[in-house]
């Protein structure tokens, strides 16, 4: 990607379970440079250090690379981190099913220490994505919006009265772990039948497995969520039925969130959504009947993310800018 030394205004990093993605934003907020490294894994004992500090090392390396290329001073410039899981206001990763080795680590403090600065903006990755979509993405100018990122799990965030909802501890928005079926599959969070067990990428895989066992879809079509979506796009009836059931669960979860937040807009992101018009229309159709008083009111509008997989890193950079003195 091209980059220039005078146009970078901030840097954001999105720490995922498999990769650490950094982006540099230019004057208009567009991404002018990006850099990624694999996330250090719990099983990597060769590092000989707690994984929290290994993750901090990797984040610092991504930041250093982008700062050098963009001509920024890491001790003073605007920068922020998005991390997967429940993050306390002080930057401590309280709970993170997809980054288990870093639980309890104060990622913000560990990274700040490596950069020679006193603090760094840290928030949950879905909160960061919502900030980006609200700032200049799909939810721009919208005062009441919900963001759902459908990946391995479901990342969630709410914009209420034009502001990101944080809650008492900064833990608000964990919508993926609303229980919608107590006899449903086990969730990495320790509960059962969470919303994300049905309406995420892995949820789609689960529904495909069930359909395969019941003989309503063939093995080739249900080999992976991607194969299933491809088969559905080609008109495979069994695959279309699984996709429709997926959309029903997704609509059910959105209906629950609508009962709580009354949003006018729901932004949907993640690998399952991107490029799949197959999901939007059936979900909107199910939502119209799933929401309370569906016959008497307008359901929230469903739209795909405008910023795509970079939304989390972009939002982290914006939070970094907002935290600047
Ligand atoms: Zn859960």
């Amino acid at each position: 990607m091209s980059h220039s030394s005078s146009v970078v205004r901030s840097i954001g990093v999105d720490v995922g379970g498999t990769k650490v993605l950094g982006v540099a934003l230019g004057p208009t907020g567009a991404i002018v440079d990006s850099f990624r490294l694999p996330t250090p894994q719990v099983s990597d004992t060769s590092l000989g250090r707690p994984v929290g500090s290994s993750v901090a090392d990797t984040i610092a390396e991504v930041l250093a690379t982008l700062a050098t290329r963009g001509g920024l001073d890491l001790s003073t410039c605007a920068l922020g981190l998005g991390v997967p899981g429940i993050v306390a206001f002080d930057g401590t990763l309280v709970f993170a099913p997809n980054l288990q080795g870093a639980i309890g680590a104060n990622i913000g403090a560990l990274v700040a220490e490596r950069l020679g600065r006193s603090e760094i903006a840290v928030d949950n990755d879905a909160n960061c994505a919502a900030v980006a979509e609200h700032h200049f993405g799909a939810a721009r100018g919208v005062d009441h919006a919900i963001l759902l990122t459908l990946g391995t799990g479901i990342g969630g965030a709410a914009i209420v009265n034009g502001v990101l909802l944080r809650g008492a501890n900064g833990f608000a928005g964990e919508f993926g772990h609303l229980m919608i079926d107590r006899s449903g599959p086990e969730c990495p969070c320790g509960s059962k039948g969470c919303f994300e067990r049905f309406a995420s990428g892995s949820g789609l895989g689960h529904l495909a497995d069930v359909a395969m066992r019941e003989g309503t879809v063939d093995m080739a079509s249900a080999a992976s969520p991607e194969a299933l979506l491809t088969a559905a796009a080609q008109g495979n009836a069994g695959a279309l039925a699984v996709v429709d059931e997926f959309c029903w669960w997704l609509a059910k979860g959105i209906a629950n969130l609508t009962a709580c937040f009354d949003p006018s807009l729901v932004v949907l992101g993640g690998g399952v959504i991107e490029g799949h018009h197959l999901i939007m229309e059936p979900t909107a159709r199910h939502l119209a009947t799933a929401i309370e008083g569906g016959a008497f009111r307008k359901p929230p509008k469903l739209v795909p993310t405008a910023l795509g997989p970079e939304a989390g890193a972009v939002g982290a950079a914006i939070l970094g800018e907002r935290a600047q003195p």
Side-chain angles (χ1 to χ4, degrees), residues 95 97 174-179 185-197:
F95 182 61
E174 291 293 306
F175 305 141
H177 301 286
L178 295 173
M179 181 189 280
E186 287 183 6
C187 184
C189 77
S191 187
K192 274 185 164 184
C194 292
F195 179 32
E196 69 170 42
R197 291 302 95 211

Side-chain angles (χ1 to χ4, degrees), residues 5 39 41 96 104 126 139 146 153-155 167 210 214 245 251-252 263 271 313 321 323:
S5 62
T39 306
Q41 298 302 306
I146 297 288
I154 294 179
V210 172
E214 290 172 350
E245 198 191 352
K252 202 75 189 162
E321 291 174 13

